[in-house]
Amino acid sequence: MSTTISPVDDSQSSATQPRGRRFLPRLVRPVAAVLSGVLLYLSFPPRPLWWLVLPGFALLGWVLHDRRLRAGFGLGLLAGLGFMLPLLHWTGEEVGPVPWLALATAEALFVAVGCIGIAAVSRLAWWPVWAAAVWALDEAVRARVPFGGFPWGKIAFGQADSVFLPLAAVGGTPLLSFAVVLCGFGLFEAVRSLRTYRGTGRIPRAAVAAATATVLVPLAGALAARPLVDDSAEDGTATVAAIQGNVPRLGLDFNSQRRAVLDNHARRTEQLAQEVKAGKVPQPDFVLWPENSSDLDPYRNADARIVIDEAVKAINAPTVVGAVVEPDTGKLRNTLIQWDPTGGPVATYDKRHIQPFGEYMPMRSFVRIFSSDVDRVQRDFGPGKKVGVFDLAGTEVGLVTCYEAAFDDAVRDTVEHGGQLIAVPSNNATFGRSEMTYQQLAMSRVRAVEHSRSVVVPVTSGVSAIIRPDGTIVRKTKMFTPDALVDKVPLRSSLTPATRLGTLPEGLLVLIAAAGLGWVTVRSVRARRGR
């Protein structure tokens, strides 16, 4: 008796498989895309896990490599949401989830569009270089549009403790981001080359060369740039005091007790004056108050003017006061005022990069559909036009107000205009105990290395700090605790390559990305014509 074995019908076999078993393999890349975004988020402060950005981009490289453009968009959107949703959670701290979800989704869409480009160039030789340049292009666009851009989440800002940080002094945050992303994609290419060798027994020389170079060159570049990181005092030193007065309550309603906020900062300054008189701390050459330390316009409110004047006279040092100035007509001004012990207010700087949906409300009627909090902004702020540099007791201090620290040009301008030290007066009270203050502090640390300047960050209620030109924090406060930081900081006037080159490194990276995308387009057109 013979037995006949019939061939297996693959379609029938597939049909008889459990639906879940057939569906699970399709989830691998989407889940990996989300995980890659989460790893990018976890690499940001307050966690000291900067190195997670490397496996994050290695995983994203695997997710996008040789994918179709439509798949690149979908997978990129998942990665963007995995990154931006937790990173920007603080934006909904007091206004609910709608603004947070809207902003995070908008930023994730930028990431998704960038991932289309990464998927496209992943078919080219030396693809990690093209792909990292596309990411730099995506960050450049995100930092400029819409409404003046939103650079938060730039990869460079998560690298304050990184071995790659010295590259900020060479080419600014664009080069730092590019190098980190390049190294991450290079790690994936190294793994891919190893798997190819194991599968075929042949060494893919071009792929191995690309993998080796894209991992080692960024590391070697960072090592070579270390001599640029210098905290020596080229122009002597200055003793600076940063005042953190704290706020009476958390959240958006802290403004309802504007006088209490002003009194807190005046009181802590007067207490510092007593400590100086007792010999407990040195006399500061100048004092820095935070943004919004006086939301009462001292030009219109005599009692606010008196409180500030008495505090400044008590400490007997020129003081920078953050105030809301209310002109008779036109828009409000978020202003830093140079207040002299004898001459009173002698100079001002109006914040240039003002925050959309926070300091002014674009598309007011449309946004009101989603949140009634739009009407909390009853009178819009207007942007200033002049670069802020104050001469404080012989020290040229560049001024960058809070949100402006995220913008390359806002910080670079102050150094190019003679700033020997950078001050970043900020207000984090509306974001409670969220990660926002730590993310912003990391930006200031990167800026310190980028421009080789000491950076002083006085904050109303978050984490105030004094930072050396090498990015190290020498003094800092606790959150929602009145305090005064006093320290002798080195002053510097030399310019790093990053400061001198300005937007040139970013422009070159954009051109590289454009060249890669252009070459992919040409190949695609030729392939279609050849059919």
Side-chain angles (χ1 to χ4, degrees):
M1 178 177 171
S2 62
T3 303
T4 303
I5 301 176
S6 11
V8 176
D9 187 333
D10 289 339
S11 62
Q12 291 181 0
S13 175
S14 174
T16 58
Q17 287 182 3
R19 182 176 298 179
R21 187 174 297 176
R22 285 181 286 134
F23 184 66
L24 284 176
R26 299 180 183 179
L27 288 177
V28 173
R29 285 188 188 271
V31 170
V34 174
L35 179 58
S36 69
V38 172
L39 288 173
L40 299 188
Y41 157 68
L42 292 174
S43 72
F44 275 70
R47 293 158 296 278
L49 303 175
W50 63 267
W51 50 269
L52 284 178
V53 73
L54 300 177
F57 275 107
L59 187 58
L60 185 63
W62 175 76
V63 165
L64 297 174
H65 190 268
D66 210 21
R67 296 292 98 188
R68 293 184 177 182
L69 303 190
R70 184 171 62 180
F73 176 82
L75 294 168
L77 180 60
L78 291 174
L81 290 171
F83 179 26
M84 292 296 177
L85 279 173
L87 185 78
L88 301 179
H89 184 264
W90 52 268
T91 59
E93 188 74 15
E94 295 295 333
V95 294
V98 174
W100 159 52
L101 293 174
L103 176 61
T105 302
E107 295 301 299
L109 284 170
F110 275 102
V111 174
V113 172
C115 286
I116 294 176
I118 292 172
V121 300
S122 69
R123 299 176 178 88
L124 299 177
W126 292 78
W127 71 268
V129 177
W130 307 111
V134 170
W135 186 276
L137 168 62
D138 190 69
E139 286 192 342
V141 174
R142 236 180 359 105
R144 290 169 173 81
V145 294
F147 312 119
F150 187 73
W152 223 277
K154 184 180 285 192
I155 293 301
F157 294 148
Q159 299 296 297
D161 292 304
S162 167
V163 297
F164 296 99
L165 182 59
L167 288 171
V170 179
T173 59
L175 180 63
L176 178 54
S177 286
F178 171 78
V180 173
V181 177
L182 176 62
C183 193
F185 285 150
L187 286 174
F188 164 65
E189 183 65 7
V191 173
R192 197 171 75 93
S193 299
L194 179 61
R195 291 187 64 185
T196 300
Y197 170 71
R198 286 183 174 179
T200 64
R202 292 178 297 178
I203 299 176
R205 294 182 180 179
V208 169
T212 303
T214 52
V215 172
L216 295 183
V217 169
L219 289 170
L223 183 63
R226 286 184 63 84
L228 294 174
V229 182
D230 186 358
D231 68 346
S232 62
E234 294 178 335
D235 305 322
T237 61
T239 301
V240 58
I243 303 297
Q244 178 170 302
N246 202 13
V247 298
R249 64 166 66 99
L250 309 188
L252 295 172
D253 291 330
F254 83 95
N255 277 327
S256 64
Q257 294 192 19
R258 295 182 296 174
R259 178 56 191 268
V261 175
L262 171 58
D263 286 345
N264 285 352
H265 287 84
R267 186 181 304 114
R268 192 60 188 86
T269 303
E270 290 167 350
Q271 181 182 340
L272 175 62
Q274 294 172 0
E275 293 168 354
V276 170
K277 188 175 295 185
K280 296 180 180 179
V281 295
Q283 167 68 41
D285 296 313
F286 55 90
V287 178
L288 302 173
W289 284 15
E291 175 191 32
N292 298 130
S293 47
S294 176
D295 276 348
L296 290 169
D297 183 349
Y299 297 106
R300 302 176 70 91
N301 295 274
D303 57 338
R305 185 184 183 107
I306 291 171
V307 169
I308 295 171
D309 203 51
E310 288 180 349
V312 174
K313 286 179 177 177
I315 195 63
N316 194 30
T319 302
V320 176
V321 177
V324 173
V325 175
E326 305 176 15
D328 291 331
T329 59
K331 298 180 178 180
L332 301 174
R333 291 290 186 270
N334 188 336
T335 301
L336 298 177
I337 304 172
Q338 179 181 345
W339 206 288
D340 190 80
T342 56
V346 295
T348 60
Y349 166 67
D350 294 332
K351 187 176 182 180
R352 292 177 292 159
H353 287 272
I354 56 174
Q355 184 180 350
F357 306 102
E359 292 174 304
Y360 76 100
M361 193 60 61
M363 306 186 302
R364 185 180 289 268
S365 58
F366 175 74
V367 175
R368 190 180 288 112
I369 298 173
F370 303 96
S371 176
S372 60
D373 286 315
V374 64
D375 294 317
R376 288 180 180 271
V377 183
Q378 297 179 356
R379 186 178 176 186
D380 286 344
F381 282 79
K385 297 181 179 179
K386 295 182 179 179
V387 178
V389 179
F390 287 169
D391 182 343
L392 300 177
T395 299
E396 297 294 317
V397 178
L399 304 168
V400 181
T401 307
C402 194
Y403 179 63
E404 293 184 309
F407 293 86
D408 293 345
D409 63 324
V411 184
R412 184 174 58 249
D413 284 351
T414 66
V415 178
E416 290 177 332
H417 282 71
Q420 299 168 295
L421 173 148
I422 300 171
V424 188
S426 304
N427 175 26
N428 308 135
T430 55
F431 306 114
R433 298 184 180 276
S434 69
E435 294 182 357
M436 184 272 188
T437 189
Y438 299 103
Q439 293 173 10
Q440 190 178 51
L441 184 59
M443 292 180 193
S444 295
R445 294 180 61 195
V446 173
R447 298 302 185 191
V449 173
E450 182 179 13
H451 300 292
S452 194
R453 294 292 187 273
S454 297
V455 179
V456 183
V457 186
V459 181
T460 51
S461 56
V463 178
S464 300
I466 297 177
I467 305 166
R468 287 282 192 269
D470 62 359
T472 58
I473 298 175
V474 291
R475 293 185 182 276
K476 67 178 181 178
T477 67
K478 296 179 180 179
M479 295 181 70
F480 295 97
T481 304
D483 207 345
L485 304 177
V486 181
D487 196 58
K488 183 179 291 186
V489 297
L491 303 178
R492 297 177 60 83
S493 57
S494 63
L495 302 182
T496 63
T499 309
R500 294 179 185 275
L501 292 172
T503 59
L504 182 60
E506 184 178 54
L508 290 175
L509 292 172
V510 168
L511 287 176
I512 293 171
L517 294 171
W519 179 233
V520 168
T521 303
V522 169
R523 284 179 49 174
S524 177
V525 171
R526 287 179 177 176
R528 289 178 182 177
R529 289 177 178 176
R531 288 177 181 174

